């Protein structure tokens, strides 16, 4: 680590995961936490980071504890037969603050473009109603799209084009609430200038993608923005088949840190399953898993109760034969039947829930 | 970080951009070299040329030169237009002078041949100079591109054939005056392109009605103390859906010719539609529309919805229907303005003027034909009198104590049959007279 970097990161020390090879900067008080990226191994100290430059911007955590707890509780609510470690207290205990790296690129583009532009226009139509004697006409206006080719030249500057700084960026963005990983679910306008004390006791994931490698993503973002701008310039409302042939000025890169919470719970097999929370919006996401062991226990308990009820019904049947009173035996036999029906339900519910989650 | 810059396509022109730093180019609109008006003179001899149905080209009657027209057969594939708000608004707001104005506002077409200025109605698309006989065609009559003729069916029947067609038509049928056929001799046929609108649409209809179904049931008649069968109606709500396509429904764009006369000129075969070229109008009269798009569409829509109603009613397999209601949602509506060829003439017979029209594509003739009522009444008499006479004679002889009962009945039967035939004949003659 260079002196400049070391100054920038303050007292944080570099660490890495031997399973997923992600590198992090860990505050001294964090010890050797689980890897927030894969949760398959503990982070181990490493001599130095391969980072080029310290971050320039950081988006601060802005979710209050109350909101965070409420969101986690809401997330927990739907899970039947939760594993023992899946409860609010355990999730709070395992909660770790993590900053994720992302690049913002500023670039100028000079070139030509072609596209099919869609223009909305209104068409008069009608719907008529016959009530038995007269026709009543209702005039309607329908919006249709007329597609026309357009071309042009473009000389524009584009700022804050998001681009991944880590291999796991796309997976993280989807987990943190993005519909499209290329549109990060964070408001970068609320970013602050980086200072070591803005990190608090959070772990920072180090970038593992160089700006050159991230340029293709930034360029794709630039083309998407250019397509929208060309649509506006052409006074159109839709576009398709947009092609930009451009030269680009040398981009300027900014490293931005995105706030996330990471927590975890262990499933029946002891495997740690991560739960991620967007540190700006509070959006919670993670694989929900019902405990088949707990469901199994419930099923066994109900089966045992059914067996006991059956034995009781048999005893009452014998007694009924002696005293000519079969009604109690019949009643208990009915209860036995209901318990037999209910016994496999917990297992079925847990299995079905896990199956639905796997499909998601 | 650069790619080869591709140039803007050469046939594109710059248009307004709403953003700084971005220029926008669009395909240049097709350059149509349509002059406001065009004279048809033979480049070879300088004589006036005109479109000839026989040659299907513009020909010079003086030197025999033939000039092929730049047109293609597009048939029913001819471009159609949607009911965009612009088109509807234009059709609503155009002044009567612009669109109809027959005889109200006139415009001048200057004859390049003799220098005379000919004043024509704004709805006239072509004219012949009354001073030198030069043919002149106005190509632009309405502001929006869609409202000028873009397709037409050229004349395929020659003017010379009209008299023969009219004579054959006048000679047809026995209850017309015998010398009517000679009246065609004096008829002067004028070839004119008439304005029509074509409309296409799909109509989706859903209907609902109470339908009565006849049920036969047995009941016990207490009065007669026995079982009887009776029929009663059982009413149930029923519903159905239908989707009907309408393609190229013709609607007249002129008020000058009676709609029923135009109807009898049909059909026009639209597969013969060709793209507009002013040459087709050279030497012929042509009229622009007087009935606007919206008015014509209202009428066409009325026809379509009635056809849809009839189709809905056909779905109901019972004649007992009440509380019938339906809707008709129009979809994919499209229109075009076309010109169709017709010959118009009048002839005088017995001091009265009668109109006659000939379909310029098929030769179908329609018009007014005076009925020889003396012939008709003689025929009515010939049909009814035998029965009356036979029955009267039988009745008279019966009164004189002759056995004529059978003859009387035969006379009555003859009279009834004759009267029915006479009624049918009168009905036909009256319809022919009204037509």
């Amino acid at each position: 680590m260079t002196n400049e970097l070391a100054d920038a990161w303050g007292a944080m020390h570099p660490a890495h995961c031997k399973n997923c090879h992600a590198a992090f900067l860990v505050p001294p008080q964090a010890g050797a936490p689980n890897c927030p990226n894969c949760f398959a191994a503990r982070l181990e100290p490493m001599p130095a980071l391969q980072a080029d430059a310290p971050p320039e911007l950081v988006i601060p955590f802005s979710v209050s504890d109350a909101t965070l707890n409420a969101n986690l509780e809401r997330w927990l609510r739907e899970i039947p037969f939760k594993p023992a470690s899946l409860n609010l207290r355990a999730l709070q205990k395992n909660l770790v603050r993590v900053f994720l790296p992302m690049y913002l690129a500023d670039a100028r583009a000079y070139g030509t473009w072609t596209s099919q532009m869609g223009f909305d226009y209104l068409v008069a139509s009608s719907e008529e109603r016959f009530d038995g004697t007269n026709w009543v006409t209702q005039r309607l206006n329908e919006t249709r799209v007329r597609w026309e080719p357009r071309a042009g030249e473009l000389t524009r500057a584009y700022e804050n084009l998001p681009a991944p700084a880590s291999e796991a960026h796309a997976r993280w963005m989807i987990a943190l609430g993005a519909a499209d990983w290329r549109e990060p679910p964070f408001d970068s306008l609320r970013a602050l200038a980086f200072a070591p004390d803005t990190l608090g006791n959070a772990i920072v994931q180090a970038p593992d993608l160089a700006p050159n490698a991230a340029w293709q993503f930034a360029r794709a973002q630039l083309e998407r923005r250019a397509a929208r701008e060309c649509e506006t310039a052409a006074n159109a409302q839709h576009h398709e088949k947009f092609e930009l042939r451009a030269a680009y000025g040398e981009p300027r890169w900014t490293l931005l840190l995105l706030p996330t919470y990471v927590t975890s719970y262990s499933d029946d097999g002891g495997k740690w399953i991560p739960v991620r929370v967007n540190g700006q919006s509070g959006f919670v996401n993670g694989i929900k898993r019902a405990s088949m062991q707990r469901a199994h226990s419930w099923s066994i308990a109900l089966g045992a109760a059914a067996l006991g009820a059956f034995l009781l019904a048999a005893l009452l049947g014998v007694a009924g034969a002696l005293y000519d009173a079969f009604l109690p035996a019949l009643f208990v036999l009915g209860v036995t039947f209901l318990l037999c029906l209910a016994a496999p339900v917990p297992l079925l519910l847990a299995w079905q829930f896990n199956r639905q989650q796997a499909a998601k | 970080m650069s790619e080869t810059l591709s140039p803007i396509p050469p046939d594109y022109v710059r248009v307004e951009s709403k953003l700084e730093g971005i220029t926008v180019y669009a395909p240049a609109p097709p350059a149509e070299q349509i002059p406001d008006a065009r004279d048809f003179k033979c480049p070879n001899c300088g004589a006036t040329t005109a479109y000839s149905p026989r040659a299907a080209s513009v020909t010079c009657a003086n030197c025999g030169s033939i000039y092929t027209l730049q047109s293609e057969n597009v048939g029913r594939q001819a471009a159609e237009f949607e009911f965009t708000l612009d088109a509807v608004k234009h059709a609503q707001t155009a002044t009567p002078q612009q669109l109809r104005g027959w005889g109200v506002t006139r415009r001048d077409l200057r004859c390049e041949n003799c220098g005379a200025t000919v004043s024509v109605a704004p709805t006239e698309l072509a004219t012949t100079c009354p001073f030198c006989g030069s043919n002149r065609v106005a190509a632009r009559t309405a502001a929006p591109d869609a409202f000028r003729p873009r397709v037409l069916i050229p004349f395929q029947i020659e003017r010379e054939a009209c008299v023969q067609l009219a004579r054959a038509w006048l000679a047809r049928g026995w209850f017309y005056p015998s010398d009517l056929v000679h009246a065609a001799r004096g008829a002067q046929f004028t070839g004119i392109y008439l304005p029509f609108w074509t409309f296409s649409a799909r109509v989706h209809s859903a209907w609902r009605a109470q339908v009565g179904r006849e049920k036969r049931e047995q009941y016990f008649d207490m009065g007669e103390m026995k079982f009887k069968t009776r029929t009663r109606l059982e009413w149930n709500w029923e519903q159905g859906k239908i989707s009907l396509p309408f393609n190229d429904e013709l609607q007249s764009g002129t008020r000058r010719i009676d709609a029923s006369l135009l109807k009898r000129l049909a059909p026009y075969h639209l597969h013969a539609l060709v793209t507009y070229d002013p040459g087709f109008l050279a030497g012929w009269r042509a009229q622009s529309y007087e009935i606007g798009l919206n008015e014509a569409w209202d009428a066409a829509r009325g026809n379509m919805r009635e056809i849809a109603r009839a189709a809905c009613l056909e779905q109901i397999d019972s004649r007992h229907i009440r509380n019938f209601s339906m809707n008709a949602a129009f979809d994919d509506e499209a229109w075009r303005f076309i010109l169709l060829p017709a010959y118009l003439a009048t002839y005088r017979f017995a001091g009265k003027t009668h109109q006659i029209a000939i379909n310029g594509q098929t030769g179908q003739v329609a018009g007014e034909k005076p009925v020889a009522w003396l012939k008709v009444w003689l025929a009515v008499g010939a049909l009814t009198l035998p029965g009356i006479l036979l029955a009267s004679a039988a009745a008279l002889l019966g009164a004189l104590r002759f056995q004529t009962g059978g003859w009387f009945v035969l006379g009555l039967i003859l009279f009834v049959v004759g009267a029915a035939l006479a009624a049918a004949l009168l009905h036909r003659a009256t319809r022919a007279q009204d037509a």
Side-chain angles (χ1 to χ4, degrees):
Chain A
M1 202 163 18
T2 62
N3 287 341
E4 186 194 356
L5 269 175
D7 292 345
W9 294 121
M12 297 176 90
H13 66 267
H16 75 294
C17 171
K18 281 195 171 173
N19 181 56
C20 67
H21 306 293
F24 295 89
L25 285 154
V26 182
Q29 65 273 27
N34 269 337
C35 172
N37 194 39
C38 68
F39 272 85
R42 289 197 171 274
L43 295 181
E44 293 182 14
M46 62 185 288
L49 273 182
Q50 298 296 316
D52 295 329
E56 284 183 46
L57 295 170
V58 59
I59 297 177
F61 283 89
S62 50
V63 181
S64 68
D65 286 350
T67 307
L68 180 65
N69 289 341
N71 289 358
L72 283 172
E73 247 181 310
R74 199 177 306 124
W75 182 81
L76 278 169
R77 209 172 287 158
E78 302 163 6
I79 308 171
F81 306 104
K82 297 181 187 72
S85 63
L86 185 51
N87 55 64
L88 184 60
R89 189 177 292 177
L91 289 177
Q92 283 169 332
K93 190 182 157 200
N94 295 337
L95 200 71
V96 180
R97 292 178 172 217
V98 180
F99 279 107
L100 303 173
M102 189 183 83
Y103 291 120
L104 293 176
D106 299 340
R108 284 190 75 81
Y110 320 85
T112 58
W113 58 272
T114 58
S115 178
Q116 288 288 323
M117 292 294 178
F119 300 89
D120 286 344
Y121 66 99
L122 286 171
V123 171
S125 186
S126 61
E127 185 166 334
E128 319 223 357
R129 180 146 190 85
F130 181 71
D131 60 7
T133 47
N134 296 310
W135 284 96
V136 180
T137 302
Q138 186 190 357
R139 306 277 177 194
L140 305 167
N141 286 343
E142 282 176 21
T143 302
R144 293 185 189 165
V145 181
R146 183 181 67 253
W147 290 97
E148 292 180 9
R150 290 286 185 274
E153 291 152 344
L154 175 144
T155 309
R156 298 275 290 177
Y158 294 90
E159 293 179 350
N160 296 331
L161 300 163
S166 74
E167 298 279 1
H169 180 82
R171 187 159 46 85
W172 273 100
M173 292 304 107
I174 295 294
L176 294 171
D180 179 347
W181 70 267
R182 289 167 295 193
E183 303 289 345
F186 292 93
D187 179 7
S188 60
L189 294 176
R190 287 165 67 186
L192 306 173
F194 173 78
D197 56 350
T198 55
L199 298 178
N201 58 352
I203 298 172
V204 179
Q205 186 176 0
D208 53 17
L209 272 180
N212 278 349
W215 167 244
Q216 55 169 320
F217 301 104
R219 200 179 93 170
Q221 285 288 344
L222 185 150
E223 287 182 5
R224 281 155 65 96
R225 280 198 204 168
R228 285 197 294 267
E229 288 186 350
C230 289
E231 177 189 298
T232 306
N235 205 17
Q237 290 76 42
H238 315 271
H239 71 265
E240 62 177 25
K241 297 177 186 167
F242 180 84
E243 278 184 34
L244 177 67
R245 295 180 186 280
Y248 301 97
E250 194 59 40
R252 183 186 169 277
W253 296 94
T254 303
L255 185 61
L256 168 72
L257 296 180
L258 308 172
T260 61
Y261 294 98
V262 178
T263 183
S264 60
Y265 67 94
S266 64
D267 65 4
D268 288 343
K271 186 182 167 192
W272 287 97
I273 297 170
V275 177
R276 298 180 171 98
V277 185
N278 185 317
Q280 194 175 36
S281 68
F283 176 82
V284 183
N285 191 15
I287 297 170
K288 293 175 180 173
R289 193 152 295 167
S291 168
M292 290 301 289
Q293 277 178 4
R294 288 191 68 189
H296 197 241
S297 303
W298 271 95
S299 288
I300 286 173
L302 286 167
L307 185 65
F310 179 74
L311 291 174
L312 181 62
L315 280 175
L316 287 171
V318 172
L322 293 174
Y323 299 104
D324 201 20
F326 288 101
L327 204 60
L330 279 174
F331 175 76
V332 176
L333 204 61
V335 171
T336 307
F337 177 71
L338 290 176
L339 286 169
C340 282
L341 284 180
V345 169
L347 270 175
L348 284 173
L349 275 176
W351 175 78
Q352 176 68 8
F353 181 81
N354 287 346
R355 199 162 160 255
Q356 282 175 350
Q357 292 298 309
K360 279 183 187 174
Chain B
M1 290 186 186
S2 70
E3 290 182 25
T4 312
L5 303 185
S6 65
I8 302 294
D11 54 340
Y12 277 39
V13 292
R14 191 165 173 173
V15 295
E16 186 196 4
S17 170
K18 299 280 180 188
L19 264 188
E20 201 180 319
I22 297 178
T23 57
V24 183
Y25 291 79
E32 286 187 272
Q33 299 296 324
I34 302 172
D36 184 57
R38 186 170 147 194
D39 284 311
F40 284 87
K41 284 177 71 176
C42 178
N44 195 33
C45 67
T48 298
T49 55
Y51 177 77
S52 159
R54 183 182 296 163
S57 302
V58 171
T59 59
C60 175
N62 189 44
C63 68
S65 299
I66 295 175
Y67 304 99
T68 311
L69 297 173
Q70 299 296 315
S71 175
E72 62 171 314
N73 183 288
V74 285
R76 289 177 180 270
Q77 303 304 316
E80 288 186 299
F81 297 92
E82 293 175 294
F83 282 87
T84 59
L85 288 197
D86 285 347
V88 172
K89 194 177 166 191
H90 174 82
Q92 276 171 348
T93 55
T95 62
Q97 284 78 10
Q98 277 174 298
L99 296 182
R100 304 180 185 102
W102 186 259
V104 177
T105 302
R106 300 181 72 82
R107 66 193 180 123
D108 294 336
L109 283 180
R110 188 170 179 278
C111 176
E112 299 294 334
N113 194 42
C114 66
T117 299
V118 186
S119 178
V120 297
T123 49
E124 289 277 5
L125 297 172
T127 190
T128 299
C129 175
F131 303 101
C132 69
S134 172
N135 290 328
R136 189 163 176 74
V137 172
R140 291 187 192 277
T141 55
D145 200 38
F147 285 90
R148 67 177 176 78
R150 297 171 70 88
V151 285
L152 56 80
I153 294 179
F155 274 95
Q156 288 166 24
I157 303 292
E158 290 187 72
R159 203 188 310 261
E160 293 72 32
C162 289
V163 174
Q164 276 308 315
L165 287 168
R167 279 173 67 95
W169 179 73
L170 288 171
R172 206 176 301 145
W174 63 266
F175 49 75
Y176 300 108
S178 311
D179 50 348
L180 184 63
V181 68
H182 304 301
R185 240 182 272 157
Q188 292 292 318
F189 283 92
T190 305
I192 183 168
Y193 283 99
L194 296 173
F196 278 85
W197 302 95
T198 70
F199 295 104
S200 299
R202 182 167 276 279
V203 179
H204 307 280
S205 290
W207 61 266
R208 193 166 183 268
Q210 277 187 303
V211 180
R213 308 228 174 249
E214 292 177 357
K215 297 273 180 188
R216 288 175 68 81
E217 62 180 16
Q218 277 201 331
Y219 70 102
F220 189 74
D221 189 329
M222 295 296 283
E224 297 182 24
M225 294 301 285
K226 65 175 183 182
F227 279 100
K228 286 185 171 178
T229 305
R230 68 183 171 197
T231 304
R232 69 175 182 85
L233 278 178
E234 192 175 279
W235 292 94
N236 284 307
W237 282 102
E238 292 186 10
Q239 55 192 21
K241 283 180 180 175
I242 203 163
S243 181
L244 288 178
F246 291 92
N247 291 314
D248 298 319
E249 298 292 313
L250 275 180
Q251 202 66 36
S252 168
T254 180
R255 295 186 204 281
R256 300 183 67 209
I257 300 161
D258 183 55
S260 68
L261 184 65
L262 287 175
K263 207 172 176 181
R264 280 183 287 137
L265 278 185
Y268 279 97
H269 304 302
L270 298 186
H271 59 77
L273 279 172
V274 297
T275 53
Y276 175 82
D277 185 299
F280 286 115
L281 273 58
W284 304 83
R285 288 183 66 192
Q287 195 198 359
S288 189
Y289 60 86
E290 297 164 297
I291 296 172
L293 171 67
N294 294 342
E295 189 182 341
W297 173 229
D298 282 346
R301 220 175 52 236
N303 293 341
M304 289 178 188
R305 68 191 182 196
E306 285 306 323
I307 291 169
R309 186 161 74 103
C312 287
L313 287 169
E314 251 180 48
Q315 280 192 334
I316 304 172
D317 54 351
S318 169
R319 59 196 171 87
H320 306 291
I321 301 167
R322 68 186 185 194
N323 295 326
F324 176 85
S325 66
M326 66 174 283
N327 66 3
F330 285 76
D331 197 10
D332 294 335
E333 304 100 317
W335 61 273
R336 61 166 100 83
F337 173 49
I338 63 173
L339 297 176
L340 298 180
Y343 288 99
L344 301 177
T346 54
Y347 65 92
R348 285 189 68 78
F349 184 80
K352 282 188 178 174
T353 303
H354 302 276
Q355 199 173 28
I356 188 168
I358 298 176
N359 182 319
Q361 182 189 31
T362 63
Q364 170 77 25
V365 186
E368 301 160 354
K369 269 161 100 172
V371 172
W373 285 108
L374 182 63
K375 278 187 183 181
V376 174
W377 286 115
L378 282 173
V380 167
L383 285 167
T384 52
L385 269 179
I388 293 170
L389 289 175
L390 185 59
S392 304
L396 192 65
L397 289 171
L400 296 173
R401 300 179 185 253
F402 286 98
Q403 294 293 319
T404 55
W407 290 105
F408 180 75
V409 172
L410 183 64
L412 277 180
I413 291 169
L414 268 179
F415 172 72
V416 170
V417 172
L421 288 172
L425 177 66
L426 276 172
H427 176 67
R428 212 174 140 198
T430 310
R431 276 185 59 188
Q433 173 86 350
D434 292 344

